[in-house]
Amino acid sequence: MTTQTQSLYRWKDDPVLTVEHLSMRFGGLLAINDLSFEVGRGDITALIGPNGAGKTTVFNCVTGFYKPTEGRIVARHGKGAQTEAVDHATRTGKRWHKSGEGAVFLLERMPDHEISQKAKVARTFQNIRLFGGMTVLENLLVAQHNTLMVASGYTVGGILGLPSFKKAEKAAIKKAVYWLEHVGLVDRADDAAGDLPYGDQRRLEIARAMCLDPQVLCLDEPAAGLNPRESADLNMFLRYIRDTHGTSILLIEHDMGVVMEISDHVVVLDYGVKISDGDAAAVKNDPKVIAAYLGVDDEAEIDVPEVRQDLSGAKGVPHE
Amino acid sequence: MSGPGLVSAARTPNASQGAESRMTRALREASIAGALAGVLGFFFLALRTDIVTGGLEVTTRWGLWFTAIAIVFAGRLALNLFWFGHSYGAGKTAGRKITRLLPSSKIVGRVALAFALILPFFFMVLFPNRDRQYIDLSILIMTYIMLGWGLNIVVGLAGLLDLGYVAFYAVGAYSFGLSAQYLGFGFWTALPMAGLLAATWGLILGFPVLRLRGDYLAIVTLAFGEMIRVVLINWKSFTGGPDGVSGIPKPTFFGLEIGRGSGSFGDVFGLPYEPIHRFVYLYYIILALALLTNFVTMRLRRLPIGRAWEALREDEIACRSLGINTRNTKLSAFSTGAMFAGFAGSFFATRQGFISPESFTFLESAIILAIVVLGGLGSQIGIVIASVVMIGGIELLRNLDFLKQIFGPSFEPAEYRMLIFGLAMVVIMVWKPRGLVSTREPSATLKEKKLIGADQIAQGEGH
Amino acid sequence: MEYFVQQLINGLTLGSIYGLIAIGYTMVYGIIGMINFAHGDVFMIGAFISLAVFLVLTTVFGVTFLPIVLFLALVVSMLFTSFWGWTIERLAYRPLRGSFRLAPLITAIGMSIVLQNFVQVTQGARVKPLPPQIQGGVELMSGSVDGTTINAQLSYMQMIIIGTTFVLMVAFSLLISRTSLGRSQRACEQDRKMASLLGVNVDRTISLTFIMGAALAAVAGLMFMLLYGVIDFYIGFLAGVKAFTAAVLGGIGSLPGAMLGGLLIGLIEVFWSAYFTVEYKDVAAFSILAIVLIFMPSGLLGKPEIEKV
Ligand SMILES: Nc1ncnc2c1ncn2[C@@H]1O[C@H](COP(=O)(O)OP(=O)(O)OP(=O)(O)O)[C@@H](O)[C@H]1O
Ligand SMILES: [Mg+2]
């Protein structure tokens, strides 16, 4: 934990998303316990941890699928921590507050669809959730629902076939094609999404989330089930997203190779508690992390050298 | 009571089995089926209870019982020997092959539309004696097509299982019936109002229940359907109770009545009045309404709202992650569907001239739902086929009077209508679980339109 | 007070019948996740078989000792109705297992139409009245309001219905919780594929579920016939809808829930009729259902469904 001091400030200074004292209880199970971390603007932040650590639960709280038992989750548009605006919104009980500096959104107060629509936090799912019976193109058009809804005059203009809607639809298709080109699926645009191979589905899901023009993109194990080549392509794609679109990325990942290679910032969870937080190098050497992954006490039979190698950033096999 | 599934259809015949053992197996299974039919039918076929003075009396009908057993035995034997030999497939296999049989739905649709447009004249020329009856039947079928298309929005597109669709049909019918009775409204004034009222009811009922999932939604909509009927029966002072509302006016043609006398349609256009005119006119009204339903649905499918409906059917959680307000989206599907039922309802009222709660039972909802599912969820043309087959089929059974010559004068073919209808529902569904037309046409294409196979398409809520 | 107690007894009696039918819905729903729409009509079939057995015994064989007649009617009706339940599953549902959700729902509705019309065609559309067979009862309390005496009476009829239901419920709970059948059933509920991999005969378990549901529906049918004294081919629909409502109200998939839901629906209906209007008793029952579901989406005793994302 000692190497953190310097790098710590980068995401503290300009966080696009902060999770503060988040707790989530399922009946008797405290899946997340007083968790706080920041996602820096323009960073690729990795959330890692053993199975059942509560990573997906964090995502579900951030994106409004679960209402956290306790805690505050703030998303920010515009520079800086905007502390005043956050305090103001918290005090007044509002869901968001817009100011000269930008806007802040208290995600724990917002329903899921508003989080992606207004706060611009998009996500993918651990077990892919595409619209399998719709084409690839349709999947990407559904993602632009709210824009198109407005353009279609909430359907009335659309039924009448107004030219302004036609234009908006063209633009939507253009955006879809743009993302399809980047995930290499233009040729499959008219196929059912459910017919795509697994790796393509994963990329399509990311493309679909990107059609929302998100500020924060939350990816739940995007590299799971990909082969090393696909996984390397994915890394490039994520960097591209970050570099050209300025989207901050929060990703859950088991593949240490991926994590160590692309993340600017790593947060480690174990049993719902944060055990380490810092840049890749710092986390990699944190004894607590090694212990959590190796299960020093109770799982001594694990093949230690391999896991260690994994942790130190070599190309790893994706964990289950 | 024999059917493809009886006794042991699942055991596929072993290739090494000889014809001999196949025969014995068929015989054995046929015997089991016959025995089962005997057991099941014993208290219903062999015995009959009747009211006599002083109570109830049981009479026996051994002949009928034995006949039934023999029929089941023979039927099962025949099935085993001639049908199951070729393997028996149910379930998921029935997806893609069907559409290959049909040419593109566009062509089928065009041909069907052209035929629908000339239909009354077709009947008038070819069946001058029965034209009225046939046009009336066409009106009935067209009404179900329209209802099917309306419900398709809710069940087929949005994937919301609605078992109380008839409630909105009733709202439409009664809003015209009552507004005619109390306010003197004509059909054309009442029509938009009926649609609006039904849509409003859709919103009111949908608001609390649409958050329920799958089967819960089904049972609550069913309950609402029954509740509306109970209210119609019991609110006698307003709705006329079980006696219903009568004397509902016929639609006018731009203010002209279709009938006899001065100032009527025939009078103005110099046509001698014939009763058939009224039927032809009604036919074109329902055709126009149905086409409107179809047009709007097809349009909506290509709009963001329609795409959101289908997305909702595919994966509600993903929808939420994409910023779609699922509650509003569901409500819009529910009330759009309700609106078309409202239109159809007011047409029903004007066609019958009389409405009562009797016409709005659960059976009606079930028939409409069956048409949608049998036709193939989401498929407009499938619904047309299913309506023609199911509704046309049961109405045909009314006219099988020649059967009386075979089974004797006491035989009432009409009594068997619903029995056969129910059996047909079961058989078609087992034969084609995804309905007759099960592929989906994408709502937007980049390069080349490809149909989507049934195996990819979700059915909404609950799975 | 007497009036209230009387209504309470009446409500429990009616509720027992609903509860017995509801168990069939809840078990089938629990194990294969479908609404067995034809179940209400299986209940009607049970009532008709009971009636036939009853009449054959009393008029053809001249048996006059009522307990024997009733017992035989119960057993025969349970047996034959079970065959119906088994056949329906075999014909209309099994071929669609693993298929799409709406397909079995439609065949179930189709089966319901078939059963109703089969009985209508073979037994006639007119109602079958049966004079009350069991008379008398125990007076629990008596009082007078405005000069008229009001008694609260527990008739023998009601005793039999409530008693039989109670005994069956206990037997049934034991069956489910103690035997390997119950275990297989619960295994199939959890994960059918896994259960079959572990050697549970899934088809057989599902068949047995339908058989048990049908047998209990037959009991309900007999009781309905005795209680109301009239049956016709259409009784299955409303009773079925109410019983399903009861199952959902209690929390579908839960056996005690089905019984509780049945009793509640019975009570609501009876009290509503007694204190408000008879006409709107069904509206009352359904409204309660809607309200409960809106506030407790998994029913009273159902396990809350966790939406895993
Ligand atoms: N809806 C829920 N209800 C009850 N418990 C839940 C729910 N969602 C998650 N849990 C529990 O919370 C804990 C954390 O689960 P979570 O899915 O967040 O883990 P994870 O870190 O994503 O693991 P994995 O790497 O396997 O995806 C687990 O014990 C899980 O069983
Ligand atoms: Mg996870």
Side-chain angles (χ1 to χ4, degrees):
Chain A
M1 289 274 204
T2 42
T3 46
Q4 278 182 21
T5 34
Q6 213 219 334
S7 54
L8 204 132
Y9 289 106
R10 207 171 67 224
W11 43 87
K12 290 245 152 127
D13 288 346
D14 189 7
V16 68
L17 183 79
T18 48
V19 172
E20 299 162 44
H21 305 289
L22 179 71
S23 294
M24 181 78 216
R25 184 179 282 284
F26 298 111
L29 174 79
L30 193 55
I32 301 175
N33 187 4
D34 195 26
L35 171 72
S36 305
F37 68 92
E38 292 83 24
V39 177
R41 186 174 303 281
D43 277 353
I44 294 183
T45 308
L47 185 60
I48 65 169
N51 287 120
K55 306 177 295 292
T56 302
T57 307
V58 172
F59 268 34
N60 285 335
C61 291
V62 167
T63 51
F65 283 89
Y66 294 162
K67 284 281 150 262
T69 319
E70 246 170 82
R72 185 167 73 175
I73 306 168
V74 188
R76 296 172 181 79
H77 297 175
K79 280 242 163 285
Q82 304 177 44
T83 332
E84 254 167 56
V86 174
D87 287 345
H88 181 257
T90 312
R91 245 183 299 113
T92 52
K94 289 201 303 185
R95 281 180 287 181
W96 60 77
H97 180 75
K98 292 193 170 143
S99 64
E101 296 169 276
V104 297
F105 300 85
L106 300 186
L107 302 187
E108 81 282 0
R109 296 181 182 173
M110 295 166 68
D112 39 29
H113 61 90
E114 272 185 357
I115 290 181
S116 46
Q117 187 191 352
K118 302 227 159 70
K120 296 275 172 208
V121 178
R123 73 172 291 180
T124 65
F125 296 88
Q126 186 167 357
N127 39 358
I128 309 173
R129 285 184 175 274
L130 287 171
F131 306 121
M134 302 174 85
T135 64
V136 169
L137 178 66
E138 283 179 304
N139 268 272
L140 301 189
L141 291 179
V142 173
Q144 302 174 57
H145 176 78
N146 287 311
T147 329
L148 286 172
M149 245 348 229
V150 175
S152 74
Y154 295 92
T155 306
V156 183
I159 290 195
L160 302 175
L162 294 188
S164 62
F165 171 65
K166 295 241 166 79
K167 226 172 89 192
E169 195 167 36
K170 280 227 178 71
I173 292 181
K174 213 170 133 198
K175 191 198 252 178
V177 170
Y178 170 84
W179 284 110
L180 286 179
E181 275 165 357
H182 283 89
V183 292
L185 287 174
V186 203
D187 292 336
R188 306 220 55 179
D190 293 320
D191 287 325
D195 279 335
L196 298 185
Y198 188 82
D200 289 354
Q201 292 197 1
R202 280 238 171 262
R203 276 178 291 139
L204 176 58
E205 210 191 8
I206 300 176
R208 187 179 69 180
M210 283 313 293
C211 281
L212 290 160
D213 294 326
Q215 297 268 328
V216 184
L217 176 64
C218 302
L219 304 172
D220 200 339
E221 305 200 11
L226 300 190
N227 63 35
R229 237 204 84 103
E230 288 175 318
S231 180
D233 287 349
L234 178 74
N235 286 356
M236 268 170 52
F237 181 49
L238 295 186
R239 283 220 183 87
Y240 172 83
I241 289 177
R242 193 259 311 264
D243 296 341
T244 31
H245 291 267
T247 309
S248 318
I249 296 175
L250 173 63
L251 86 160
I252 295 177
E253 193 45 77
H254 278 296
D255 186 337
M256 286 305 148
V258 174
V259 171
M260 295 305 155
E261 194 184 325
I262 65 167
S263 5
D264 306 299
H265 173 193
V266 180
V267 176
V268 190
L269 274 188
D270 192 17
Y271 293 110
V273 182
K274 184 167 84 174
I275 56 170
S276 184
D277 184 339
D279 59 23
V283 165
K284 186 164 61 181
N285 298 320
D286 189 329
K288 276 198 194 163
V289 177
I290 297 170
Y293 266 83
L294 301 187
V296 255
D297 296 331
D298 40 337
E299 285 176 54
E301 76 275 17
I302 285 183
D303 189 349
V304 179
E306 195 197 323
V307 179
R308 188 176 292 278
Q309 191 188 24
D310 233 27
L311 277 168
S312 56
K315 272 257 158 2
V317 217
H319 282 229
E320 240 309 283
Chain B
M1 292 285 333
S2 170
L6 195 57
V7 182
S8 76
R11 275 179 236 154
T12 40
N14 190 332
S16 63
Q17 273 178 327
E20 183 71 27
S21 72
R22 187 169 158 198
M23 188 66 200
T24 36
R25 223 193 78 219
L27 276 174
R28 193 188 70 229
E29 284 176 4
S31 316
I32 296 176
L36 189 63
V39 170
L40 295 182
F42 183 76
F43 286 102
F44 297 91
L45 299 169
L47 300 179
R48 179 179 168 123
T49 42
D50 273 304
I51 305 171
V52 291
T53 38
L56 288 166
E57 182 196 63
V58 197
T59 45
T60 53
R61 296 181 294 196
W62 301 115
L64 180 66
W65 189 49
F66 283 124
T67 319
I69 294 175
I71 290 174
V72 169
F73 177 83
R76 174 72 208 196
L77 193 64
L79 273 180
N80 254 26
L81 291 179
F82 306 115
W83 181 272
F84 293 155
H86 314 283
S87 102
Y88 164 74
K92 295 185 175 169
T93 50
R96 296 180 158 184
K97 295 171 211 153
I98 313 150
T99 42
R100 297 290 128 81
L101 299 174
L102 289 170
S104 129
S105 66
K106 211 172 212 164
I107 298 169
V108 178
R110 294 241 167 96
V111 172
L113 175 65
F115 182 65
L117 284 172
I118 57 148
L119 190 94
F121 302 102
F122 176 81
F123 285 141
M124 274 149 76
V125 173
L126 285 187
F127 304 94
N129 298 323
R130 317 200 80 179
D131 54 356
R132 205 194 299 184
Q133 187 196 345
Y134 286 156
I135 295 175
D136 201 37
L137 176 58
S138 311
I139 294 174
L140 185 70
I141 293 177
M142 203 51 91
T143 313
Y144 278 99
I145 291 177
M146 175 169 179
L147 287 167
W149 280 343
L151 183 61
N152 191 29
I153 295 176
V154 186
V155 183
L157 295 184
L160 302 166
L161 185 48
D162 181 358
L163 290 180
Y165 193 59
V166 78
F168 306 117
Y169 190 42
V171 167
Y174 270 86
S175 59
F176 176 33
L178 294 174
S179 66
Q181 187 176 347
Y182 293 113
L183 308 169
F185 276 21
F187 174 70
W188 295 110
T189 342
L191 183 70
M193 189 194 69
L196 269 179
L197 265 177
T200 313
W201 270 100
L203 284 180
I204 295 171
L205 297 189
F207 194 77
V209 305
L210 282 176
R211 70 166 98 175
L212 299 175
R213 289 165 56 84
D215 296 320
Y216 290 97
L217 179 65
I219 194 71
V220 173
T221 49
L222 191 163
F224 273 134
E226 285 299 297
M227 272 156 77
I228 286 198
R229 202 169 59 87
V230 171
V231 171
L232 290 177
I233 292 177
N234 291 301
W235 195 359
K236 296 198 182 70
S237 57
F238 183 58
T239 64
D243 301 335
V245 184
S246 51
I248 301 169
K250 292 283 169 218
T252 55
F253 183 79
F254 294 102
L256 305 176
E257 221 169 277
I258 313 275
R260 233 177 274 279
S262 67
S264 70
F265 171 78
D267 187 35
V268 172
F269 287 87
L271 285 168
Y273 173 71
E274 276 181 56
I276 190 82
H277 290 171
R278 209 178 250 174
F279 287 89
V280 174
Y281 185 47
L282 281 175
Y283 173 80
Y284 280 112
I285 292 178
I286 186 65
L287 179 63
L289 285 174
L291 289 177
L292 176 78
T293 313
N294 183 43
F295 172 78
V296 172
T297 311
M298 297 313 269
R299 255 287 151 86
L300 288 178
R301 270 201 68 207
R302 289 186 172 75
L303 291 178
I305 186 74
R307 236 173 256 137
W309 289 340
E310 293 201 75
L312 203 62
R313 176 195 67 206
E314 295 289 326
D315 194 328
E316 184 175 339
I317 288 176
C319 279
R320 279 156 50 188
S321 83
L322 297 174
I324 294 175
N325 183 332
T326 48
R327 191 196 58 208
N328 292 356
T329 309
K330 284 182 186 179
L331 273 179
S332 65
F334 205 62
S335 60
T336 310
M339 178 179 75
F340 289 119
F343 289 149
S346 68
F347 174 80
F348 175 78
T350 195
R351 173 188 165 222
Q352 302 286 69
F354 162 76
I355 46 173
S356 75
E358 285 282 279
S359 314
F360 308 105
T361 55
F362 168 70
L363 184 66
E364 212 66 23
S365 288
I367 290 176
I368 305 168
L369 181 68
I371 285 173
V372 175
V373 178
L374 294 175
L377 281 175
S379 160
Q380 299 288 91
I381 196 77
I383 286 168
V384 176
I385 300 172
S387 303
V388 172
V389 171
M390 300 302 282
I391 305 298
I394 27 178
E395 288 306 308
L396 273 185
L397 287 172
R398 273 189 209 280
N399 305 315
L400 299 179
D401 278 342
F402 70 90
L403 286 176
K404 277 195 175 160
Q405 275 146 25
I406 306 174
F407 293 102
S410 65
F411 182 80
E412 257 320 319
E415 271 190 0
Y416 293 84
R417 279 167 61 228
M418 290 316 289
L419 183 61
I420 293 171
F421 181 79
L423 279 175
M425 258 165 94
V426 175
V427 171
I428 298 182
M429 217 64 258
V430 170
W431 172 50
K432 286 204 153 100
R434 280 315 288 250
L436 299 168
V437 181
S438 56
T439 49
R440 175 181 174 271
E441 213 169 291
S443 68
T445 38
L446 195 60
K447 290 182 190 123
E448 173 203 5
K449 181 178 280 179
K450 297 177 194 165
L451 293 182
I452 296 175
D455 42 352
Q456 294 301 348
I457 303 167
Q459 279 197 334
E461 290 292 291
H463 281 262
Chain C
M1 184 60 197
E2 287 74 24
Y3 188 62
F4 177 84
V5 171
Q6 184 66 64
Q7 298 312 322
L8 189 68
I9 296 171
N10 295 349
L12 289 177
T13 314
L14 183 61
S16 304
I17 293 180
Y18 288 151
L20 284 174
I21 311 174
I23 290 176
Y25 278 110
T26 235
M27 280 197 310
V28 166
Y29 193 92
I31 199 162
I32 52 177
M34 74 168 278
I35 305 177
N36 178 11
F37 243 97
H39 190 63
D41 301 290
V42 171
F43 151 80
M44 178 270 296
I45 292 270
F48 268 86
I49 296 179
S50 314
L51 177 68
V53 177
F54 190 90
L55 288 177
V56 168
L57 286 175
T58 49
T59 61
V60 181
F61 294 105
V63 186
T64 47
F65 185 53
L66 202 57
I68 289 282
V69 176
L70 287 182
F71 180 73
L72 282 177
L74 185 74
V75 171
V76 175
S77 163
M78 281 172 87
L79 189 71
F80 278 73
T81 312
S82 303
F83 270 109
W84 277 95
W86 181 84
T87 311
I88 292 168
E89 193 269 334
R90 194 68 191 75
L91 281 183
Y93 307 152
R94 191 177 298 180
L96 292 171
R97 195 160 312 143
S99 174
F100 302 95
R101 184 174 60 99
L102 283 179
L105 182 76
I106 297 294
T107 52
I109 293 176
M111 262 299 158
S112 161
I113 296 176
V114 168
L115 293 183
Q116 278 176 27
N117 286 279
F118 174 71
V119 173
Q120 186 189 0
V121 167
T122 56
Q123 297 293 309
R126 294 179 61 189
V127 297
K128 316 266 180 231
L130 184 74
Q133 299 298 321
I134 309 166
Q135 272 145 344
V138 191
E139 201 161 292
L140 293 179
M141 49 170 91
S142 135
S144 73
V145 181
D146 303 335
T148 45
T149 8
I150 295 178
N151 298 327
Q153 190 198 28
L154 177 63
S155 70
Y156 295 130
M157 186 65 237
Q158 291 171 324
M159 269 190 228
I160 292 177
I161 292 179
I162 297 176
T164 314
T165 308
F166 183 75
V167 170
L168 278 172
M169 255 322 270
V170 171
F172 205 71
S173 309
L174 288 178
L175 187 72
I176 297 291
S177 60
R178 299 281 162 82
T179 63
S180 70
L181 166 66
R183 200 162 47 237
S184 317
Q185 240 172 356
R186 272 170 285 141
C188 291
E189 263 169 50
Q190 294 283 325
D191 187 337
R192 217 184 304 151
K193 200 175 267 165
M194 195 63 209
S196 85
L197 287 176
L198 293 174
V200 174
N201 186 338
V202 173
D203 281 346
R204 207 179 118 240
T205 310
I206 293 176
S207 282
L208 280 171
T209 306
F210 274 85
I211 287 174
M212 288 191 292
L216 289 180
V219 179
L222 172 68
M223 291 175 174
F224 184 93
M225 183 190 75
L226 293 173
L227 184 66
Y228 286 97
V230 280
I231 57 172
D232 64 29
F233 71 94
Y234 201 62
I235 56 169
F237 174 68
L238 204 56
V241 171
K242 296 261 186 62
F244 187 69
T245 304
V248 173
L249 185 63
I252 197 147
S254 146
L255 290 183
M259 212 53 232
L260 176 71
L263 292 178
L264 279 177
I265 294 284
L267 287 170
I268 292 166
E269 220 182 290
V270 166
F271 276 104
W272 190 277
S273 314
Y275 290 98
F276 302 101
T277 52
V278 186
E279 289 85 14
Y280 289 103
K281 65 180 169 82
D282 298 342
V283 173
F286 291 142
S287 313
I288 300 275
L289 169 80
I291 292 166
V292 168
L293 281 185
I294 287 160
F295 293 103
M296 302 175 70
S298 38
L300 295 172
L301 298 185
K303 278 180 243 110
E305 215 175 292
I306 335 163
E307 187 181 49
K308 284 227 176 186
V309 180

